[in-house]
Amino acid sequence: MAYFIGIDIGTSGTKTALFDENGGVITARTVTYPMAQPQNGWAEQAPEDWWQAVRTSLAEVAEKVEWVDGIGLSGQMHGLVMLDGDGAVIRPAILWCDQRTGRECAEITEAVGRERLIAITANPALTGFTAAKILWVQKHEPENYSRCRHILLPKDYIRYKLTGEFATDVSDAGGMQLLDIRNRCWSDEVLEKLAIDKALLPTVYESPEITGVVRGLGKLDGVPVAAGAGDNAAAAVGTGAVMEGKAFTTIGSSGVVYAHTDRPVIDTEGRVHTFCCAVPGKWHVMGVTQAAGLSLKWFREQFAPGDSYAELDEQAEKVPVGAERLLFLPYLMGERTPHLDPNARGVFFGFSALHQKRHMVRAVMEGVSYSLRDCLEVLRQMEIPLSDMTVVGGGGKSALWRQMLADIFGMEVRTVAGEEGPALGAAILAGVAVGAYPSVEAACAKAVRKKPVQKPDPSNTAAYETFYHIYQTLYPALKESFKILQG
């Protein structure tokens, strides 16, 4: 029997899980850490916290078996990690949800040209992406930038600590806005126009390739480490969304609607992202809601700290579809799909004296679901095949939330048997890298198990359609007010 470890460096914590070659979970351990928000719209973490979490969880997980055949990495995308010549962290990592780089995005667009930027990187300049963060440090912290010798993504910092190698994979690299998405390599044109030295960037690999071996961790020394993938590309592998028609929805801190595609389909309006996926020579298209599970987490911490998520579910279940005419815009961290607006902020709309906490809980869950429906509608307009939808992430554990998605999407949804998601995907990629499986597709067929479908309720779908149309009118009505408020 072969054994593989998947490590997923998330925003709220790191999950390290050990699997056998059939996808069975031997053990898993999660270690949490904080996120700092020094200013409104900023988000940072200490990379050292990630490494401490990995060391702790990896040591516990590896004890369960006599040997490990491979390790795969997954992690939050877009984060900027800067190291000096000695490999020391220069400043806290600027995260995917950080919104400080609006001006830098405008500079990128001016330097490269909007159409040319989308043609090369498949996306317009976005505040969440890494390139704008690099320019922000260039401008606002020149002393830090002058010390920088290596730029890494979160999971790739962990790779460096494990192996001493500076490497990344095509899926995660695509989120830096420096990669030629069609040709799966760094874009010399974009780098030159942004005055970013290519020597700062890591070597790019396909996801199921070996990038180095573990050093300095005793029992694990010599274990191959696969390139791995960004969290969503890894989640696609962990849910079996590795062929056309396969898709998944994530309700984690952020929310994602992701679809596999065999060709690089690009939205010229830039509403959704096209990246290389973890299957060599293939791509994916995804829409992003900045604050999905984060919206419910925020609500719980501020207004229901004594309630578990299961108790919040029970309260929301007592409220009818539409939350008694209360709507929620989940733009706590700005928004990506389809609005691309860092100024957008959260809104409860339609309050009346009859509304109680349970109505607000349901409105939050429905508002996140409407935002994910916005993502789905863009994919449908792009004529991307969508025949099989899996729901994953912390919110995917909720049968109520899954049913909301089935009703609001108007399609069957299902979930996977385990809860490991990106960690399983990373472990599968490690298995392919060391030759335990002939391909990513074959590995998923063997290691991914799914639960029965949840079907949409036609009466709920019809009711939600009315509220969804109202929801769609709110952002356009508030767009200018959001801008004024932020100014």
Side-chain angles (χ1 to χ4, degrees), residues 49-73:
D49 287 349
W50 306 332
W51 175 232
Q52 220 24 64
V54 169
R55 285 179 62 91
T56 299
S57 57
L58 193 55
E60 293 183 17
V61 165
E63 286 182 354
K64 302 298 181 180
V65 289
E66 294 183 11
W67 70 87
V68 174
D69 294 273
I71 294 173
L73 299 173

mmCIF file of all heavy atoms in Angstrom, residues 49-73:
data_model
loop_
_atom_site.group_PDB
_atom_site.id
_atom_site.type_symbol
_atom_site.label_atom_id
_atom_site.label_comp_id
_atom_site.label_asym_id
_atom_site.label_seq_id
_atom_site.Cartn_x
_atom_site.Cartn_y
_atom_site.Cartn_z
ATOM 1 N N ASP A 49 3.851 31.549 10.651
ATOM 2 C CA ASP A 49 2.720 30.842 11.261
ATOM 3 C C ASP A 49 2.323 29.630 10.415
ATOM 4 O O ASP A 49 1.971 28.572 10.956
ATOM 5 C CB ASP A 49 1.517 31.782 11.404
ATOM 6 C CG ASP A 49 1.694 32.808 12.509
ATOM 7 O OD1 ASP A 49 2.646 32.676 13.309
ATOM 8 O OD2 ASP A 49 0.884 33.754 12.579
ATOM 9 N N TRP A 50 2.357 29.780 9.093
ATOM 10 C CA TRP A 50 2.052 28.643 8.223
ATOM 11 C C TRP A 50 3.062 27.510 8.451
ATOM 12 O O TRP A 50 2.678 26.351 8.553
ATOM 13 C CB TRP A 50 2.106 29.047 6.751
ATOM 14 C CG TRP A 50 1.283 30.205 6.337
ATOM 15 C CD1 TRP A 50 0.121 30.641 6.919
ATOM 16 C CD2 TRP A 50 1.544 31.099 5.249
ATOM 17 N NE1 TRP A 50 -0.352 31.752 6.247
ATOM 18 C CE2 TRP A 50 0.503 32.051 5.228
ATOM 19 C CE3 TRP A 50 2.551 31.178 4.299
ATOM 20 C CZ2 TRP A 50 0.445 33.070 4.275
ATOM 21 C CZ3 TRP A 50 2.508 32.190 3.345
ATOM 22 C CH2 TRP A 50 1.467 33.124 3.338
ATOM 23 N N TRP A 51 4.333 27.885 8.509
ATOM 24 C CA TRP A 51 5.379 26.869 8.651
ATOM 25 C C TRP A 51 5.269 26.165 10.006
ATOM 26 O O TRP A 51 5.416 24.943 10.092
ATOM 27 C CB TRP A 51 6.754 27.505 8.476
ATOM 28 C CG TRP A 51 7.919 26.591 8.715
ATOM 29 C CD1 TRP A 51 8.981 26.795 9.533
ATOM 30 C CD2 TRP A 51 8.161 25.318 8.090
ATOM 31 N NE1 TRP A 51 9.869 25.744 9.476
ATOM 32 C CE2 TRP A 51 9.375 24.824 8.589
ATOM 33 C CE3 TRP A 51 7.448 24.550 7.165
ATOM 34 C CZ2 TRP A 51 9.914 23.586 8.203
ATOM 35 C CZ3 TRP A 51 7.977 23.319 6.773
ATOM 36 C CH2 TRP A 51 9.193 22.848 7.285
ATOM 37 N N GLN A 52 4.969 26.915 11.045
ATOM 38 C CA GLN A 52 4.793 26.290 12.349
ATOM 39 C C GLN A 52 3.623 25.321 12.319
ATOM 40 O O GLN A 52 3.679 24.228 12.891
ATOM 41 C CB GLN A 52 4.549 27.387 13.394
ATOM 42 C CG GLN A 52 5.199 27.266 14.752
ATOM 43 C CD GLN A 52 6.447 26.431 14.862
ATOM 44 O OE1 GLN A 52 7.479 26.744 14.276
ATOM 45 N NE2 GLN A 52 6.378 25.355 15.598
ATOM 46 N N ALA A 53 2.534 25.721 11.651
ATOM 47 C CA ALA A 53 1.365 24.848 11.529
ATOM 48 C C ALA A 53 1.698 23.580 10.752
ATOM 49 O O ALA A 53 1.251 22.481 11.093
ATOM 50 C CB ALA A 53 0.223 25.602 10.855
ATOM 51 N N VAL A 54 2.489 23.722 9.684
ATOM 52 C CA VAL A 54 2.886 22.555 8.890
ATOM 53 C C VAL A 54 3.777 21.632 9.702
ATOM 54 O O VAL A 54 3.577 20.404 9.714
ATOM 55 C CB VAL A 54 3.607 22.997 7.596
ATOM 56 C CG1 VAL A 54 4.260 21.804 6.907
ATOM 57 C CG2 VAL A 54 2.617 23.667 6.651
ATOM 58 N N ARG A 55 4.755 22.166 10.388
ATOM 59 C CA ARG A 55 5.653 21.321 11.196
ATOM 60 C C ARG A 55 4.871 20.533 12.242
ATOM 61 O O ARG A 55 5.092 19.328 12.435
ATOM 62 C CB ARG A 55 6.725 22.185 11.881
ATOM 63 C CG ARG A 55 7.821 22.664 10.954
ATOM 64 C CD ARG A 55 8.820 23.524 11.712
ATOM 65 N NE ARG A 55 9.484 22.768 12.775
ATOM 66 C CZ ARG A 55 10.623 22.095 12.603
ATOM 67 N NH1 ARG A 55 11.210 22.073 11.436
ATOM 68 N NH2 ARG A 55 11.173 21.460 13.615
ATOM 69 N N THR A 56 3.945 21.223 12.917
ATOM 70 C CA THR A 56 3.166 20.560 13.965
ATOM 71 C C THR A 56 2.281 19.465 13.394
ATOM 72 O O THR A 56 2.279 18.321 13.878
ATOM 73 C CB THR A 56 2.296 21.599 14.698
ATOM 74 O OG1 THR A 56 3.133 22.579 15.296
ATOM 75 C CG2 THR A 56 1.428 20.930 15.766
ATOM 76 N N SER A 57 1.519 19.799 12.356
ATOM 77 C CA SER A 57 0.570 18.830 11.796
ATOM 78 C C SER A 57 1.271 17.709 11.057
ATOM 79 O O SER A 57 0.854 16.540 11.137
ATOM 80 C CB SER A 57 -0.411 19.541 10.862
ATOM 81 O OG SER A 57 0.262 20.224 9.826
ATOM 82 N N LEU A 58 2.357 18.004 10.357
ATOM 83 C CA LEU A 58 3.071 16.985 9.595
ATOM 84 C C LEU A 58 3.696 15.950 10.520
ATOM 85 O O LEU A 58 3.648 14.740 10.243
ATOM 86 C CB LEU A 58 4.150 17.662 8.750
ATOM 87 C CG LEU A 58 4.820 16.863 7.643
ATOM 88 C CD1 LEU A 58 3.794 16.289 6.680
ATOM 89 C CD2 LEU A 58 5.812 17.736 6.891
ATOM 90 N N ALA A 59 4.249 16.408 11.628
ATOM 91 C CA ALA A 59 4.860 15.472 12.577
ATOM 92 C C ALA A 59 3.828 14.508 13.143
ATOM 93 O O ALA A 59 4.087 13.298 13.265
ATOM 94 C CB ALA A 59 5.533 16.253 13.706
ATOM 95 N N GLU A 60 2.641 15.027 13.464
ATOM 96 C CA GLU A 60 1.591 14.164 14.028
ATOM 97 C C GLU A 60 1.059 13.172 12.995
ATOM 98 O O GLU A 60 0.855 11.990 13.292
ATOM 99 C CB GLU A 60 0.451 15.029 14.565
ATOM 100 C CG GLU A 60 0.848 15.871 15.767
ATOM 101 C CD GLU A 60 -0.331 16.657 16.312
ATOM 102 O OE1 GLU A 60 -1.480 16.322 15.987
ATOM 103 O OE2 GLU A 60 -0.098 17.622 17.066
ATOM 104 N N VAL A 61 0.847 13.647 11.778
ATOM 105 C CA VAL A 61 0.268 12.802 10.736
ATOM 106 C C VAL A 61 1.236 11.706 10.312
ATOM 107 O O VAL A 61 0.847 10.549 10.116
ATOM 108 C CB VAL A 61 -0.134 13.687 9.526
ATOM 109 C CG1 VAL A 61 -0.384 12.844 8.288
ATOM 110 C CG2 VAL A 61 -1.381 14.499 9.868
ATOM 111 N N ALA A 62 2.512 12.042 10.163
ATOM 112 C CA ALA A 62 3.499 11.077 9.670
ATOM 113 C C ALA A 62 3.737 9.930 10.643
ATOM 114 O O ALA A 62 4.210 8.854 10.243
ATOM 115 C CB ALA A 62 4.811 11.794 9.369
ATOM 116 N N GLU A 63 3.382 10.133 11.920
ATOM 117 C CA GLU A 63 3.578 9.076 12.908
ATOM 118 C C GLU A 63 2.691 7.857 12.669
ATOM 119 O O GLU A 63 2.974 6.771 13.174
ATOM 120 C CB GLU A 63 3.278 9.621 14.315
ATOM 121 C CG GLU A 63 4.347 10.553 14.869
ATOM 122 C CD GLU A 63 3.989 11.015 16.279
ATOM 123 O OE1 GLU A 63 2.873 10.683 16.739
ATOM 124 O OE2 GLU A 63 4.822 11.698 16.899
ATOM 125 N N LYS A 64 1.614 8.018 11.892
ATOM 126 C CA LYS A 64 0.615 6.969 11.753
ATOM 127 C C LYS A 64 1.033 5.844 10.807
ATOM 128 O O LYS A 64 0.389 4.787 10.786
ATOM 129 C CB LYS A 64 -0.706 7.571 11.269
ATOM 130 C CG LYS A 64 -1.268 8.659 12.180
ATOM 131 C CD LYS A 64 -1.587 8.127 13.561
ATOM 132 C CE LYS A 64 -2.180 9.224 14.446
ATOM 133 N NZ LYS A 64 -2.493 8.728 15.816
ATOM 134 N N VAL A 65 2.064 6.051 10.008
ATOM 135 C CA VAL A 65 2.517 5.009 9.083
ATOM 136 C C VAL A 65 4.042 4.901 9.144
ATOM 137 O O VAL A 65 4.724 5.818 9.605
ATOM 138 C CB VAL A 65 2.080 5.308 7.627
ATOM 139 C CG1 VAL A 65 0.589 5.116 7.459
ATOM 140 C CG2 VAL A 65 2.492 6.713 7.208
ATOM 141 N N GLU A 66 4.561 3.789 8.638
ATOM 142 C CA GLU A 66 6.007 3.570 8.676
ATOM 143 C C GLU A 66 6.730 4.346 7.583
ATOM 144 O O GLU A 66 7.920 4.647 7.717
ATOM 145 C CB GLU A 66 6.316 2.080 8.551
ATOM 146 C CG GLU A 66 5.839 1.252 9.743
ATOM 147 C CD GLU A 66 6.228 -0.213 9.623
ATOM 148 O OE1 GLU A 66 7.046 -0.525 8.723
ATOM 149 O OE2 GLU A 66 5.726 -1.028 10.407
ATOM 150 N N TRP A 67 6.033 4.617 6.482
ATOM 151 C CA TRP A 67 6.667 5.355 5.385
ATOM 152 C C TRP A 67 5.634 6.226 4.677
ATOM 153 O O TRP A 67 4.427 6.004 4.794
ATOM 154 C CB TRP A 67 7.308 4.393 4.378
ATOM 155 C CG TRP A 67 6.311 3.609 3.573
ATOM 156 C CD1 TRP A 67 5.705 3.982 2.393
ATOM 157 C CD2 TRP A 67 5.776 2.335 3.894
ATOM 158 N NE1 TRP A 67 4.831 3.017 1.973
ATOM 159 C CE2 TRP A 67 4.854 1.978 2.873
ATOM 160 C CE3 TRP A 67 5.972 1.423 4.951
ATOM 161 C CZ2 TRP A 67 4.143 0.793 2.873
ATOM 162 C CZ3 TRP A 67 5.266 0.225 4.942
ATOM 163 C CH2 TRP A 67 4.368 -0.070 3.915
ATOM 164 N N VAL A 68 6.130 7.207 3.955
ATOM 165 C CA VAL A 68 5.295 8.077 3.125
ATOM 166 C C VAL A 68 5.915 8.105 1.733
ATOM 167 O O VAL A 68 7.125 8.283 1.587
ATOM 168 C CB VAL A 68 5.217 9.509 3.699
ATOM 169 C CG1 VAL A 68 4.473 10.439 2.740
ATOM 170 C CG2 VAL A 68 4.534 9.506 5.062
ATOM 171 N N ASP A 69 5.085 7.909 0.700
ATOM 172 C CA ASP A 69 5.603 7.811 -0.665
ATOM 173 C C ASP A 69 5.690 9.165 -1.375
ATOM 174 O O ASP A 69 6.445 9.298 -2.348
ATOM 175 C CB ASP A 69 4.722 6.863 -1.482
ATOM 176 C CG ASP A 69 4.804 5.437 -0.963
ATOM 177 O OD1 ASP A 69 5.706 4.705 -1.399
ATOM 178 O OD2 ASP A 69 3.984 5.066 -0.093
ATOM 179 N N GLY A 70 4.912 10.138 -0.942
ATOM 180 C CA GLY A 70 4.968 11.438 -1.594
ATOM 181 C C GLY A 70 4.158 12.466 -0.834
ATOM 182 O O GLY A 70 3.237 12.122 -0.074
ATOM 183 N N ILE A 71 4.508 13.736 -1.022
ATOM 184 C CA ILE A 71 3.798 14.853 -0.392
ATOM 185 C C ILE A 71 3.371 15.817 -1.482
ATOM 186 O O ILE A 71 4.137 16.131 -2.402
ATOM 187 C CB ILE A 71 4.697 15.575 0.626
ATOM 188 C CG1 ILE A 71 5.022 14.647 1.806
ATOM 189 C CG2 ILE A 71 4.033 16.855 1.134
ATOM 190 C CD1 ILE A 71 6.035 15.233 2.780
ATOM 191 N N GLY A 72 2.133 16.278 -1.395
ATOM 192 C CA GLY A 72 1.616 17.285 -2.314
ATOM 193 C C GLY A 72 1.195 18.526 -1.557
ATOM 194 O O GLY A 72 0.808 18.453 -0.383
ATOM 195 N N LEU A 73 1.266 19.679 -2.221
ATOM 196 C CA LEU A 73 0.962 20.957 -1.584
ATOM 197 C C LEU A 73 -0.198 21.660 -2.276
ATOM 198 O O LEU A 73 -0.330 21.621 -3.495
ATOM 199 C CB LEU A 73 2.184 21.873 -1.633
ATOM 200 C CG LEU A 73 3.447 21.372 -0.930
ATOM 201 C CD1 LEU A 73 4.611 22.302 -1.221
ATOM 202 C CD2 LEU A 73 3.216 21.258 0.571
#
